[in-house]
Amino acid sequence: MRKKTESALPVVVIGAGMAGARLAARVPGATVVGEERHAPYNRVLLANVLAGRYAPDVIALPATEVRRGVRAVRIDRADRLVHCDDGSVLHYGRLVLATGSNPVLPPLRGLGDTLPDGVHPFRTLDDALALRAAVRPGVRAVVIGGGLLGVSAARALAECGAQVVLAQQGEHLMERQLDPEAAALLRTHLEALGVEVHTECRVRGLRCTTATTTESVRAVELADGYELAADLTVLACGVRPRTGLALAAGLDVRKGIVVDDELRTSDPYIHALGDCAEHRSTLYGLAGPALEQADVLAEVLAGRPARYEGTRALTRLTLRSPDPLHALDLAAFGEARPLPGDDVVRLADATRGVYRTVVVREGRLAGGVLLGDLGAVSGLARTWQDDEPLPPAMSLLHLLIDDGGH
């Protein structure tokens, strides 16, 4: 078995998400093992499936051969084998862990190993389809978590006619990406669509009723004793890298699976990328960096020189609506919260529904937030990604008002 040459043993990819599918499309002959029954799909567009704007086949990625519905259960590093739950065993010359992440299930009273009826995570296509089947006009839905995923879910549920409450523990929505002013505008947008938003709101538990042997959610209990009536509860409390296989195999794992600039783990024959990978102490958890890592790793596996040096990621969110007046475009990059000594340039135009702010630190663009018209985002993002000192003559106000020729 071990007498086969390296070239005779294929690349095996565990995980058929966006990162794994992108890599497989660039590595001829790669074998991909995926737990989900669906073909690989664009996870960024799940809210559109929930809202009913897209059918599942619309978000499918270009065809990649995947062994669907198969879960890898053990890695044998000594013999370079992957054992799967269907009894199959795969040999690898190089193994790639693209295991992604799991939704965080908060430690709530009434939430055990089995989710009560009406309680849904929002991470996979099956999650989106299950929510789509459950929602109907007038249903009471509580979304726990006011980050990017929670905001997207709340907006989609409201579009389906649900009575939506969004409960966020932090001071404002999308704390990782937005400054307080931008978050306030986002909140106003959601409230105009009928979403009831609660910030600085800690959820204590779920109140469920039992019929025969089945528990069903009826309310979300807050720490102050107040209850939010709920027929549906969506858990959008963040994600956690899936590192169980790597840990069991003895690989170096911190918050994620530790990789170097060639996306190589502590085992030279095993790589990791995407949500499960920790590169230079950073977990990205975004599609852009995962796809960039896949492109770099494809070059590495082909024997060509390539290194991943990190991604300066831009977050974009488009909240569409049949009524253009109720649509909202949002972009955020870098560090939007100023530190002492930083310069801040802000432009707000209530008539056009435009808000733009950038932070300058030691002569460089540190980050920014744009809501409404995103015509200026390309120029700002290029300036930020280049990470070069701003020329003395460059006007940040010019960058803010540059609408790309519009």
Side-chain angles (χ1 to χ4, degrees):
M1 186 181 303
R2 289 295 301 277
K3 292 181 180 178
K4 293 183 179 180
T5 64
E6 291 292 329
S7 60
L9 291 173
V11 172
V12 174
V13 182
I14 300 177
M18 295 179 69
R22 174 77 159 238
L23 178 68
R26 286 159 172 71
V27 179
T31 299
V32 184
V33 176
E35 289 185 31
E36 295 189 58
R37 58 187 175 90
H38 305 283
Y41 55 87
N42 187 339
R43 198 179 304 276
V44 174
L45 300 176
L46 284 178
N48 293 287
V49 174
L50 171 55
R53 285 190 294 271
Y54 295 163
D57 59 334
V58 174
I59 70 169
L61 297 173
T64 299
E65 195 65 34
V66 177
R67 297 184 58 187
R68 301 187 205 172
V70 176
R71 183 169 63 91
V73 295
R74 186 168 67 87
I75 299 168
D76 180 344
R77 290 169 54 192
D79 287 320
R80 296 188 210 164
L81 305 174
V82 175
H83 296 262
C84 300
D85 64 352
D86 64 353
S88 62
V89 179
L90 302 173
H91 304 266
Y92 67 86
R94 293 291 180 95
L95 177 63
V96 180
L97 301 178
T99 49
S101 54
N102 284 327
V104 172
L105 301 182
L108 302 179
R109 189 168 61 196
L111 189 62
D113 295 334
T114 302
L115 296 181
D117 281 356
V119 178
H120 300 262
F122 186 47
R123 181 64 180 163
T124 68
L125 181 53
D126 280 336
D127 295 336
L129 293 173
L131 271 169
R132 176 69 185 167
V135 69
R136 61 189 184 278
V139 74
R140 298 168 301 180
V142 176
V143 179
I144 302 175
L148 181 63
L149 197 61
V151 167
S152 299
R155 177 64 183 82
L157 290 168
E159 193 170 332
C160 294
Q163 299 175 28
V164 184
V165 177
L166 179 58
Q168 159 72 335
Q169 181 169 321
E171 293 182 0
H172 61 75
L173 299 174
M174 291 182 62
E175 284 187 308
R176 290 183 59 184
Q177 294 89 8
L178 302 186
D179 61 15
E181 291 83 359
L185 293 172
L186 175 59
R187 176 173 183 158
T188 299
H189 167 81
L190 291 173
E191 290 175 338
L193 299 172
V195 178
E196 183 180 330
V197 179
H198 295 265
T199 55
E200 298 184 85
C201 168
R202 191 167 66 85
V203 175
R204 180 172 61 189
L206 305 177
R207 181 168 61 79
C208 302
T209 59
T210 303
T212 63
T213 59
T214 303
E215 282 193 325
S216 299
V217 67
R218 287 293 172 261
V220 173
E221 301 174 345
L222 305 183
D224 61 5
Y226 188 76
E227 286 192 351
L228 302 171
D231 304 304
L232 291 176
T233 300
V234 180
L235 304 177
C237 306
V239 295
R240 182 176 293 115
R242 295 185 64 184
T243 59
L245 270 177
L247 276 170
L251 300 178
D252 186 9
V253 174
R254 295 172 195 163
K255 290 183 179 179
I257 305 168
V258 178
V259 296
D260 63 15
D261 290 355
E262 292 186 335
L263 289 310
R264 195 187 315 270
T265 70
S266 52
D267 183 321
Y269 299 101
I270 302 178
H271 300 260
L273 76 166
D275 286 7
C276 68
E278 179 180 335
H279 174 260
R280 298 186 185 179
S281 301
T282 299
L283 289 166
Y284 288 98
L286 296 170
L291 299 179
E292 186 176 338
Q293 289 171 3
D295 291 343
V296 169
L297 184 52
E299 295 296 300
V300 170
L301 295 176
R304 294 186 285 267
R307 300 182 72 82
Y308 177 70
E309 297 183 350
T311 300
R312 295 173 70 81
L314 173 75
T315 299
R316 293 191 68 155
L317 175 64
T318 297
L319 300 176
R320 302 189 185 279
S321 171
D323 181 354
L325 295 176
H326 287 163
L328 179 71
D329 288 318
L330 179 155
F333 59 93
E335 298 179 41
R337 290 187 175 185
L339 300 177
D342 290 347
D343 293 319
V344 179
V345 182
R346 182 170 292 125
L347 171 67
D349 186 337
T351 303
R352 297 173 58 204
V354 172
Y355 172 83
R356 299 170 182 172
T357 183
V358 292
V359 175
V360 179
R361 182 173 303 149
E362 297 180 353
R364 287 177 165 83
L365 197 55
V369 177
L370 296 87
L371 275 81
D373 187 347
L374 299 188
V377 71
S378 296
L380 288 168
R382 281 195 303 270
T383 302
W384 170 66
Q385 288 170 341
D386 289 344
D387 196 30
E388 296 293 334
L390 294 170
M394 176 177 284
S395 165
L396 282 174
L397 185 60
H398 173 72
L399 278 175
L400 282 177
I401 64 176
D402 180 11
D403 288 332
H406 296 298

